[in-house]
Amino acid sequence: MPLPAAFVAQMQDLLQDDYADFENALQQAAPVSIRYNPRKNTSHSLEKKVLWNPQAYYLEGRPVFTLDPHFHAGVYYVQEASSMFVAEAANQLLDFDRPLKVLDLCAAPGGKSTALLSLLNEESILVSNEVIKSRYHILRENLTKWGNSNVFVTNHDPKDFEGLEGFFDLVLVDAPCSGEGLFRKDARAMQEWSPEAVQHCSARQRRILSIAPKLVKKDGILMYCTCTYNTTENMDNVHWLLETNDLAPEQLILAEDWKIREVRKEKAVGYQFFPHLVKGEGFFIACLKQKEDFFHTPKKKKSTFAHLQKVPKKQLEAIHLFVRKDLSLDFFQTEKGRIFAFPASLTSTFIHLSASLKKSAYGAEIGIIKGKSLVPAHALAMSHLITPDFPKLALDKQQALQFLKKLPVEVDGSKEGWHLVTYENSALGWAKVLKRRMNNYYPKEWRIRMEI
């Protein structure tokens, strides 16, 4: 499919003599890259590293990820390499050894949120937000697979963050954009592109950016990124941010072999990824330090924690058959009995957040007490909270795919009871082994639907 004429003219003006190399790069196959979860089994034989992310690698081609049990276990995330630079930028500008409050304001499907979670310690919190409900469910699924309990997933418009001014050390705005950087991966992005769409996207980005800086505490960082090339959505918006806020541009350190281009407009500084220079897609990022100190008295709003209660001590014994006792966790349950856990050091933060953000999911879901026993949630299987000596049911690849498709799996019934189902030491979910069968507790809505 030929490139839109207006896009060609725009890129010729932007790239000058480099345009022919750029256009040729768009005719090549897009590279495939994955980023490993540092908290899960990461033994592998991959060699081609993504230069700006030590946990990320390129694949020779694009496999059928659906047929890899490790994909379902959250061992890795399939993410475009250029966009992984968000973690490198954050690492350069923030001290991840201290407790941080981080907001990913436009987070679905979750690539950048999982990258930031891989940097955060247990005293830190990530608020991962998505305004579109269908995309929010995808975001929750991907964050569940990543397995952290220090995460607060929300489904809100940016304007709903009123009451959280000056709250966050880092706010990431991965803004909805015209998608020029994805043309060789997504033909639909090319079909929908037009100069009018660029202007529409820029206006939508500015609506989000009129809110985001106020959420950043003094000396905190606002990151703005897109997967596009044009100056309207990129440097013009960064320049506008500097003109309308008390922000200062942050300079990043770039290795020469990364071939990332620094771009400027007056005081504004940004970083552009071009596919003829880097092994990745089109991407743009700018980082700004907040100089203003926002003092805000939150409106008195009822926290959604008013509908939760702390789990009674008598139920903790059933929980700790599954959950490690050495972790300092708080356990809350809903009116319907669903139990959630998160680091005790973050409880007051969760309560504060929930006063403004009603449509949210907290920490890691643990399960529900029935009788005197816990029926474990799938999120618990994906987490790092499970007691290490919990009984495991190791499956080979074919059995694992059958389990993920919710087909019957033949197992030895000599050891009855709850088992953590694993494939090559990676947790896939829960099964309850009975004398003559195994009950599969893998979430029905997540099951593999294709032929295996």
Side-chain angles (χ1 to χ4, degrees):
M1 182 176 177
L3 294 169
F7 175 74
V8 171
Q10 168 193 290
M11 298 308 296
Q12 285 175 333
D13 183 56
L14 191 65
L15 291 170
Q16 301 292 318
D17 293 342
D18 277 3
Y19 177 76
D21 291 337
F22 169 79
E23 185 175 37
N24 181 61
L26 294 190
Q27 311 309 316
Q28 311 305 312
V32 181
S33 49
I34 62 174
R35 178 175 41 77
Y36 281 100
N37 187 335
R39 302 193 82 149
K40 299 199 175 185
N41 175 28
T42 57
S43 59
H44 57 80
S45 57
L46 299 176
E47 296 179 356
K48 295 182 179 178
K49 278 192 172 186
V50 175
L51 296 175
W52 42 85
N53 193 304
Q55 296 160 352
Y57 295 81
Y58 295 101
L59 305 182
E60 292 298 332
R62 190 172 188 89
V64 182
F65 290 110
T66 301
L67 298 182
D68 180 6
H70 288 306
F71 171 73
H72 300 274
V75 170
Y76 61 85
Y77 191 97
V78 183
Q79 185 178 14
E80 193 282 308
S82 297
S83 65
M84 295 180 191
F85 188 75
V86 164
E88 168 63 23
N91 224 0
Q92 289 191 27
L93 299 175
L94 293 159
D95 179 6
F96 281 91
D97 289 331
R98 67 182 184 89
L100 297 173
K101 299 182 182 74
V102 175
L103 168 63
D104 187 352
L105 194 54
C106 313
K112 296 174 183 69
S113 279
T114 55
L116 291 170
L117 278 171
S118 295
L119 297 175
L120 293 172
N121 61 40
E122 285 299 310
E123 303 297 307
S124 300
I125 186 170
L126 173 74
V127 179
S128 187
N129 179 70
E130 174 55 45
V131 63
I132 300 171
K133 193 165 186 178
S134 60
R135 287 170 58 82
Y136 165 74
H137 292 301
I138 295 167
L139 174 65
R140 278 196 66 185
E141 178 178 338
N142 285 327
L143 289 175
T144 296
K145 289 177 181 177
W146 212 246
N148 291 65
S149 59
N150 56 337
V151 64
F152 191 94
V153 194
T154 65
N155 176 211
H156 282 270
D157 188 274
K159 64 180 174 58
D160 296 338
F161 282 74
E162 178 188 352
L164 295 170
E165 286 87 345
F167 188 76
F168 296 98
D169 298 279
L170 169 64
V171 173
L172 170 64
V173 178
D174 179 23
C177 71
S178 60
E180 295 168 354
L182 303 178
F183 277 7
R184 68 174 171 181
K185 290 181 65 176
D186 186 356
R188 188 175 62 177
M190 192 187 305
Q191 292 167 356
E192 294 176 352
W193 186 90
S194 68
E196 294 74 24
V198 168
Q199 294 297 330
H200 174 75
C201 287
S202 178
R204 181 167 55 176
Q205 290 152 3
R206 289 198 181 187
R207 186 182 82 83
I208 299 169
L209 292 174
S210 68
I211 298 166
K214 300 179 180 67
L215 306 177
V216 185
K217 67 173 58 173
K218 186 177 181 182
D219 295 326
I221 299 296
L222 172 66
M223 281 189 186
Y224 173 64
C225 60
T226 70
C227 54
T228 200
Y229 306 110
N230 68 77
T231 56
T232 303
E233 296 180 76
N234 293 344
M235 288 305 291
D236 287 356
N237 276 345
V238 178
H239 182 263
W240 174 81
L241 274 169
L242 291 169
E243 291 291 303
T244 55
N245 295 273
D246 192 6
L247 298 165
E250 286 284 331
Q251 191 105 14
L252 299 175
I253 300 169
L254 304 179
E256 188 175 345
D257 63 344
W258 293 355
K259 297 183 180 178
I260 301 166
R261 282 196 176 171
E262 182 180 288
V263 287
R264 290 181 173 268
K265 180 177 181 178
E266 297 181 23
K267 294 186 299 180
V269 182
Y271 301 91
Q272 185 75 60
F273 294 65
F274 291 106
H276 65 291
L277 298 176
V278 306
K279 194 173 180 180
E281 301 306 285
F283 183 69
F284 170 85
I285 187 169
C287 304
L288 307 164
K289 179 177 280 190
Q290 177 62 268
K291 306 304 290 181
E292 189 172 350
D293 204 349
F294 286 95
F295 294 98
H296 181 77
T297 304
K299 295 179 181 179
K300 290 186 177 180
K301 299 178 182 178
K302 194 173 184 180
S303 167
T304 54
F305 270 66
H307 302 292
L308 303 179
Q309 62 178 356
K310 284 201 102 175
V311 172
K313 286 186 177 180
K314 63 182 180 181
Q315 293 184 351
L316 291 179
E317 185 177 346
I319 291 172
H320 282 306
L321 292 175
F322 292 79
V323 178
R324 290 166 52 186
K325 291 183 179 180
D326 62 320
L327 300 175
S328 181
L329 299 170
D330 272 349
F331 298 92
F332 283 82
Q333 63 184 358
T334 68
E335 293 169 335
K336 294 184 178 180
R338 293 171 63 201
I339 298 169
F340 296 84
F342 37 80
S345 61
L346 296 176
T347 299
S348 61
T349 305
F350 273 63
I351 292 172
H352 179 68
L353 287 167
S354 69
S356 296
L357 308 170
K358 308 290 186 184
K359 295 180 287 185
S360 304
Y362 319 105
E365 186 174 0
I366 301 301
I368 188 168
I369 298 288
K370 290 192 175 180
K372 295 183 178 180
S373 302
L374 178 74
V375 177
H378 183 70
L380 177 58
M382 297 288 96
S383 77
H384 63 281
L385 306 180
I386 301 171
T387 183
D389 58 353
F390 197 87
K392 295 178 178 61
L393 182 62
L395 304 182
D396 61 29
K397 186 172 183 179
Q398 185 60 30
Q399 289 174 318
L401 292 173
Q402 288 177 278
F403 173 81
L404 293 166
K405 197 171 172 64
K406 286 189 77 75
L407 294 174
V409 179
E410 290 189 14
V411 297
D412 179 5
S414 60
K415 295 181 180 178
E416 297 183 36
W418 285 104
H419 287 70
L420 182 66
V421 178
T422 65
Y423 168 71
E424 294 184 348
N425 298 317
S426 298
L428 299 177
W430 298 107
K432 195 167 188 180
V433 177
L434 307 174
K435 286 184 178 179
R436 293 181 177 83
R437 71 178 192 277
M438 181 196 81
N439 287 347
N440 184 337
Y441 281 77
Y442 192 75
K444 184 178 180 180
E445 63 275 18
W446 291 11
R447 71 191 186 279
I448 293 176
R449 290 174 170 82
M450 68 185 298
E451 291 298 317
I452 61 174

